[in-house]
Amino acid sequence: MSAVTATAEEPVDRTDKARDVPAFLRERRHGLTLGALVALATAAYSVLGLVKFSAFKASIFDLVIFDQAVRGYASFGPPVAPSVGMFYNQGMDFVQPADHFSPILAVLAPLYWVYDDPRTLIVAQAALLSLAAVPVWHYTSRRLGPVPAHLVAVAYLVSWPVAQAAGFDFHEVAFVPLLSAIMIERADAGRTRYAVLAAIGILLVKEDMGLLVAGFGVYLFLIRRRLEGTALVLMGGGALLLIRGVVMPMIGSGGEGFHWAYGSRGATLGEVALSIVRDPFGTLWQMVSPEVKVDTMAFLLWPMLLTALLSPLVLVAVPLLVERFLADRPQWWGTDFQYNAFLAAILVCAAVDGVHRLSGRLRGRFPERSRALAGHWAFAVCVIGLTLVPRFALGNLVESSFFTEEPSVAAAREAVATVPDGVVVEAANNVGPALSARTTVLLWGPQAYGAPWIVADVTRWTFPFGGPEVQQQRVDEALRTGYTKVFDRDGYVVLKRS
């Protein structure tokens, strides 16, 4: 009887299991969709960086700097970065946190135990930038629903600030979208402990990240979470002063004025603050002049249909914008480089919160429009993000010319192969990344370091020279002072010191 019962029950079990499969998928369809988006974005960002690396379009500043530092952490030694140390006349033992305070790079060290190569950083950056979509999705889903959240996640993943960061070799900014999104989402979910941990992680990314944390504290204070907000303002402000004024000089940062970008306003942070108080109208004018600053602010806000301006969360981005736009460095003002990625996740979350607030205001008078607003807005910002792809770095992925190697690449590979392992080499900015895994790379420039090997480029301009003619003069000088030419093809010259 029991055998008959068991036989009769078996089809029922199989039917139940078959019925459970679509239920399983239905329950997890949002997670699977989000995971697919993150994986696709990681692959796209990785291809963008790896193709540039293969085509000798990566650079010593900054890829080799971070590669040297992470390799130091991976070998349980100091994160020395001789490439930047020699450039600033600080010596071969100069540590990367004395240049920019980024001890968070140590978390990438285990990856170098698997594959010790600068390309590891390119893929790691791709994953970090993509993973920020996860907390962005959760934050959006709570406010607008899961389907609009997927559209917003796509809008973040294709956003131009993220694309510009992914297209710039490697930079410490890779950590900030993920950590800032976690900080915002966890605080919104009432998990303050995890939000504080994310804030601490942000402080370990760069010496000025105290501004971001303090800005988030101001936001919390304004939404009546005054104790938490005050604590984060004090933590962010204190970290800014401690790291910049005490920690970095203690570990070997350059002398007075090292990396200072506000000479037009003063020589210290106090003098800059005083100049702002004395001349508020001049400060406001400097924030919008020259016009490129206005263009940058427009590009940051309008792809999300300006809804970030409806949320107090937008204030989190203000300190970093002020820091950049009051600086004397034009490269900080525009859209070409990676600096806007510091704000990417913050502004997306602020825009979501702005739509949520607007929807709440409309709910009483126009309930039907209020319900439809979230979906229409999310669809619109997703479409806008996609239309901007060709204008920025991700657009390279749909250009066949991006994957076509220039004839000079073969010569560059031969030049690199000429240099033996384990030596110190002064290399042209675009050549250094290909040598960093097996040599100690210094940036080849107007100042001679006397390295045993030099890999020069005398045809194409390379940083930090003024032009190819100066690069040729540098090679001629090296030949007069004891170097021998061992390779010369298509503008690439390899010199060995006799």
Side-chain angles (χ1 to χ4, degrees):
M1 183 69 179
S2 60
V4 173
T5 303
T7 303
E9 288 178 352
E10 283 180 8
V12 176
D13 288 343
R14 284 195 294 269
T15 303
D16 288 343
K17 290 178 182 179
R19 194 181 299 122
D20 285 343
V21 171
F24 171 85
L25 293 176
R26 282 197 302 272
E27 290 173 3
R28 290 163 176 78
R29 66 185 184 279
H30 294 305
L32 293 172
T33 301
L34 182 59
L37 290 174
V38 169
L40 181 62
T42 300
Y45 300 158
S46 297
V47 170
L48 187 64
L50 293 174
V51 169
K52 286 186 64 178
F53 184 95
S54 177
F56 285 81
K57 294 179 180 178
S59 58
I60 293 175
F61 276 34
D62 294 333
L63 181 57
V64 169
I65 295 173
F66 292 116
D67 174 61
Q68 291 174 338
V70 175
R71 184 169 290 108
Y73 286 123
S75 61
F76 301 99
V80 294
S83 55
V84 69
M86 294 299 289
F87 182 77
Y88 288 119
N89 296 315
Q90 299 297 311
M92 295 284 286
D93 296 329
F94 186 73
V95 292
Q96 186 278 327
D99 177 41
H100 288 298
F101 189 74
S102 307
I104 198 169
L105 293 171
V107 304
L108 301 179
L111 300 179
Y112 270 53
W113 303 339
V114 178
Y115 188 57
D116 182 358
D117 192 274
R119 284 167 286 192
T120 299
L121 295 183
I122 293 174
V123 176
Q125 174 173 259
L128 288 168
L129 292 172
S130 301
L131 284 170
V134 176
V136 166
W137 184 90
H138 283 285
Y139 181 84
T140 306
S141 182
R142 273 200 300 273
R143 277 166 165 69
L144 307 182
V147 174
H150 288 307
L151 296 172
V152 172
V154 172
Y156 162 78
L157 291 169
V158 300
S159 65
W160 67 266
V162 176
Q164 296 304 92
F168 185 76
D169 305 340
F170 179 87
H171 194 269
E172 67 264 13
V173 70
F175 292 93
V176 176
L178 175 60
L179 290 173
S180 60
I182 291 173
M183 180 177 68
I184 292 168
E185 190 276 328
R186 289 291 80 190
D188 181 68
R191 302 294 183 90
T192 306
R193 180 184 304 176
Y194 296 102
V196 171
L197 289 175
I200 293 172
I202 290 172
L203 295 176
L204 300 178
V205 172
K206 201 176 179 184
E207 65 274 9
D208 60 349
M209 287 296 99
L211 294 172
L212 192 158
V213 172
F216 187 65
V218 171
Y219 160 74
L220 290 179
F221 190 90
L222 291 176
I223 62 171
R224 299 181 181 179
R225 296 172 66 172
R226 293 187 173 88
L227 181 60
E228 300 155 278
T230 301
L232 284 177
V233 168
L234 293 175
M235 184 172 76
L240 180 68
L241 297 174
L242 180 66
I243 292 171
R244 183 74 185 175
V246 178
V247 176
M248 291 181 68
M250 186 183 300
I251 60 178
S253 182
E256 186 176 350
F258 185 66
H259 284 331
W260 186 249
Y262 306 92
S264 61
R265 287 193 164 268
T268 65
L269 187 60
E271 290 180 9
V272 172
L274 188 60
S275 74
I276 293 173
V277 173
R278 287 176 175 174
D279 186 20
F281 295 107
T283 300
L284 290 174
W285 176 248
Q286 189 176 351
M287 286 291 295
V288 296
S289 177
E291 189 178 347
V292 63
K293 298 177 183 177
V294 178
D295 294 339
T296 298
M297 283 192 280
F299 266 110
L300 285 169
L301 295 172
W302 81 258
M304 289 286 160
L305 298 176
L306 305 179
T307 54
L309 298 176
L310 301 176
S311 170
L313 189 57
V314 75
L315 295 175
V316 181
V318 170
L320 293 182
L321 270 179
V322 172
E323 178 195 30
R324 284 169 51 200
F325 286 1
L326 293 185
D328 305 328
R329 298 180 181 174
Q331 65 268 31
W332 289 4
W333 306 339
T335 60
D336 293 336
F337 298 102
Q338 71 280 0
Y339 306 110
N340 295 288
F342 286 105
L343 310 175
I346 297 167
L347 293 177
V348 170
C349 291
V352 168
D353 185 51
V355 171
H356 177 67
R357 290 170 182 269
L358 179 60
S359 179
R361 293 172 188 171
L362 294 176
R363 192 171 296 121
R365 299 179 61 185
F366 309 103
E368 292 184 4
R369 294 183 183 179
S370 173
R371 284 192 293 270
L373 177 63
H376 293 329
W377 174 84
F379 178 77
V381 299
C382 181
V383 170
I384 291 172
L386 291 170
T387 60
L388 286 175
V389 165
R391 180 164 181 164
F392 294 97
L394 277 179
N396 290 325
L397 297 179
V398 295
E399 296 286 343
S400 59
S401 58
F402 180 69
F403 299 93
T404 304
E405 287 190 353
E406 298 176 359
S408 61
V409 171
R413 290 199 181 104
E414 287 187 41
V416 166
T418 306
V419 180
D421 294 351
V423 301
V424 178
V425 53
E426 295 177 48
N429 193 37
N430 67 307
V431 176
L435 286 162
S436 189
R438 59 185 184 86
T439 68
T440 300
V441 173
L442 307 179
L443 179 64
W444 178 62
Q447 181 180 355
Y449 301 131
W453 290 81
I454 295 175
V455 181
D457 185 348
V458 297
T459 302
R460 295 150 289 269
W461 173 81
T462 180
F463 174 82
F465 288 96
E469 67 282 354
V470 186
Q471 295 159 216
Q472 182 63 63
Q473 292 171 11
R474 175 76 171 83
V475 169
D476 295 339
E477 178 188 353
L479 291 172
R480 289 193 301 269
T481 56
Y483 284 85
T484 303
K485 187 183 297 184
V486 297
F487 179 88
D488 186 353
R489 180 185 164 194
D490 202 4
Y492 288 103
V493 178
V494 179
L495 305 176
K496 179 183 179 183
R497 190 176 63 194
S498 300

